[in-house]
């Protein structure tokens, strides 16, 4: 995942970097603080997946660059004022945050991004993958590591995959833990969508690993998974509707 941060305030930049590091450990980040540097980045050929952009930069409004180079990626705009909201909507606005922003607001827009990405990936998969053909969306095994050895793990034997301290772990149906040298974003696309669901930024779960689920705070859903004792995994409000559709398929 390639993320573009356009921010002139050091405190806001630090907050965004920390939040991204905790939740998207494999993300590649580019940062700039001026329109001049933004234009250089956009012309460099880097394909961004998402941008979080301050509207008011030291050398003018960010719209000056976006009018010349229209973003092809979703953008979260940030400003201390409401007055730029309507202008922002023209340029692939995913959200508009009023400053000062907090960690929860950043997490909320990432939840929204994940929910939309999951929706379109499923639509693309349904439209382009026939039942008789294997594809990138239907891997039937993964390579995982334990100690110095590598193992072939059939996807039907996976309970869930999660990230912790920037490492991706795989727990199989028997409770054995392995590491996987892939990002959750890549795995989300490649694993069979009928069996696996990306419940949040940190977990992809197999349907057979779900022991129970229940409504939680603010429209979220709490999952109880095998091999996690009584710990609960939370599904965001944005992903809850998709989860309910998936679980009934």
């Amino acid at each position: 995942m390639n993320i573009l941060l356009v921010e002139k305030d050091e405190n806001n930049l630090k907050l965004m970097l920390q939040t991204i590091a905790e939740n998207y450990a494999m993300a590649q980040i580019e940062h700039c603080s001026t329109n001049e540097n933004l234009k250089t980045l956009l012309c460099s050929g880097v394909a961004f997946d998402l941008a979080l952009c301050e509207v008011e930069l030291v050398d003018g409004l960010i719209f000056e660059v976006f009018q010349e180079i229209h973003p092809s990626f979703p953008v979260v705009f940030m400003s201390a004022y409401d007055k730029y909201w309507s202008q922002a909507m023209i340029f692939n606005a995913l959200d508009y945050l009023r400053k000062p922003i907090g960690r929860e607001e950043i997490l909320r827009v990432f939840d929204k991004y994940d929910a939309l990405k999951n929706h379109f990936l499923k639509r693309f998969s349904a439209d382009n993958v026939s039942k008789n053909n294997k594809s990138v969306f239907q891997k039937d095994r993964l390579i995982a590591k334990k100690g110095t050895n590598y193992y072939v793990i059939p996807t039907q034997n996976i309970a869930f995959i999660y990230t912790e301290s920037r490492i991706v772990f795989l727990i199989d149906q028997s409770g054995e833990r392995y590491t996987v040298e892939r990002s959750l974003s890549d795995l989300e696309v490649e694993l069979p969508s009928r069996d696996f669901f990306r419940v949040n930024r940190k977990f992809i779960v197999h349907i057979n690993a779900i022991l129970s689920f229940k409504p939680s705070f603010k429209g979220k859903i709490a999952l109880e998974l095998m091999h996690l004792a009584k710990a609960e995994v939370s599904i965001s409000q944005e992903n809850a509707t998709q989860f309910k559709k998936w679980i009934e398929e």
Side-chain angles (χ1 to χ4, degrees):
M1 185 177 183
N2 290 330
I3 302 175
L4 171 62
L5 302 180
V6 184
E7 177 59 79
K8 64 179 185 292
D9 183 270
E10 289 296 326
N11 289 330
N12 280 331
L13 176 61
K14 183 178 180 180
L15 174 64
M16 289 189 290
L17 289 173
Q18 288 177 339
T19 305
I20 293 170
E22 292 169 1
N23 296 278
Y24 291 91
M26 303 295 290
Q28 301 296 313
I29 301 172
E30 295 284 352
H31 166 249
C32 64
S33 58
T34 67
N35 277 323
E36 181 181 359
N37 291 339
L38 172 60
K39 187 173 180 179
T40 300
L41 270 178
L42 294 179
C43 292
S44 68
V46 177
F48 293 108
D49 298 296
L50 178 67
L52 286 84
C53 299
E54 163 68 75
V55 172
E56 298 166 294
L57 303 175
V58 294
D59 53 351
L61 299 180
I62 197 170
F63 306 131
E64 296 173 17
V65 173
F66 283 165
Q67 284 172 347
E68 183 177 347
I69 307 173
H70 198 287
S72 58
F73 43 83
V75 181
V76 177
F77 290 94
M78 301 173 291
S79 175
Y81 306 99
D82 288 329
K83 62 183 179 181
Y84 302 115
W85 180 87
S86 60
Q87 287 175 271
M89 293 303 104
I90 300 171
F91 302 108
N92 286 1
L94 179 67
D95 211 323
Y96 188 97
L97 304 182
R98 277 290 305 274
K99 286 191 168 184
I101 60 174
R103 183 175 182 275
E104 289 303 315
E105 290 177 288
I106 298 172
L107 292 176
R108 178 177 60 79
V109 296
F110 278 119
D111 283 341
K112 182 186 291 188
Y113 171 82
D114 283 340
L116 288 172
K117 183 178 70 171
N118 185 57
H119 167 76
F120 287 113
L121 283 173
K122 286 188 174 182
R123 293 294 300 172
F124 181 82
S125 177
D127 291 343
N128 292 279
V129 180
S130 77
K131 293 181 180 179
N132 297 322
N133 293 318
K134 293 288 183 183
S135 79
V136 67
F137 298 97
Q138 296 180 316
K139 275 189 175 296
D140 56 12
R141 58 189 179 273
L142 291 179
I143 303 299
K145 186 178 181 181
K146 188 174 184 181
T148 58
N149 295 332
Y150 289 86
Y151 299 86
V152 178
I153 310 295
T155 56
Q156 67 265 27
N157 291 348
I158 298 171
F160 55 89
I161 302 171
Y162 69 101
T163 62
E164 184 179 285
S165 301
R166 305 191 180 189
I167 300 173
V168 178
F169 294 100
L170 181 155
I171 306 297
D172 70 13
Q173 296 282 341
S174 66
E176 290 293 321
R177 188 168 83 159
Y178 306 82
T179 59
V180 181
E181 296 173 351
R182 307 292 302 282
S183 71
L184 284 193
S185 295
D186 288 340
L187 294 170
E188 178 184 9
V189 174
E190 296 173 356
L191 291 169
S193 60
R194 182 173 178 80
D195 298 327
F196 291 89
F197 191 84
R198 176 80 176 269
V199 297
N200 56 35
R201 292 174 300 277
K202 293 188 175 183
F203 277 83
I204 296 175
V205 304
H206 192 286
I207 191 167
N208 292 338
I210 299 173
L211 300 179
S212 67
F213 61 94
K214 62 183 178 182
S216 185
F217 184 64
K218 291 186 176 180
K220 295 182 180 181
I221 295 176
L223 298 182
E224 181 187 1
L225 301 180
M226 62 167 56
H227 306 307
L228 274 187
K230 294 186 178 181
E232 293 180 346
V233 175
S234 179
I235 302 176
S236 69
Q237 183 179 11
E238 289 79 4
N239 283 339
T241 300
Q242 288 296 324
F243 172 78
K244 291 175 183 176
K245 291 181 180 178
W246 171 78
I247 203 75
E248 294 177 350
E249 287 180 355

